[in-house]
Amino acid sequence: MTYLVTLDQEEIERLAVQAGTERMGPYWQFYEEVRLGYRGQAAEEIVPLLRQAAEWCGLDFAEGDLREQAEAVSEERHYLFRVLVA
């Protein structure tokens, strides 16, 4: 049996934020700890930590995304998380 559910744009945005917050919240906390504790360290040391945290949080970051995050920590610069809703 198939059901068709119609959602308006506001509802879609609310659900996306809710879903993103549930998974990203713990990851953001971990990322902040890594950012403070590993800044200036080599990105190669940071990537495995971020990968493990992403897996634990049920996130599927591309390897390039993890690398960008690690480089931002290493270079002590801001990183803007992007969320794609498909």
Side-chain angles (χ1 to χ4, degrees):
M1 183 176 287
T2 303
Y3 295 97
L4 176 62
V5 178
T6 303
L7 302 173
D8 63 19
Q9 186 65 32
E10 183 177 306
E11 185 68 9
I12 291 171
E13 290 172 6
R14 185 186 68 75
L15 290 171
V17 168
Q18 182 180 14
T21 301
E22 288 175 9
R23 289 189 174 176
M24 285 298 294
Y27 185 79
W28 282 328
Q29 290 174 339
F30 183 83
Y31 179 85
E32 184 64 13
E33 291 175 17
V34 169
R35 188 185 68 78
L36 294 173
Y38 287 83
R39 57 185 162 197
Q41 300 294 321
E44 292 78 23
E45 296 177 31
I46 300 167
V47 169
L49 299 172
L50 297 178
R51 184 182 302 112
Q52 183 178 20
E55 289 172 1
W56 183 77
C57 294
L59 298 169
D60 187 24
F61 285 117
E63 193 65 26
D65 292 333
L66 292 172
R67 179 81 184 157
E68 285 180 15
Q69 293 171 33
E71 288 171 354
V73 170
S74 178
E75 297 167 9
E76 300 183 47
R77 60 181 167 78
H78 181 73
Y79 181 80
L80 177 64
F81 283 92
R82 300 171 305 271
V83 178
L84 173 64
V85 179

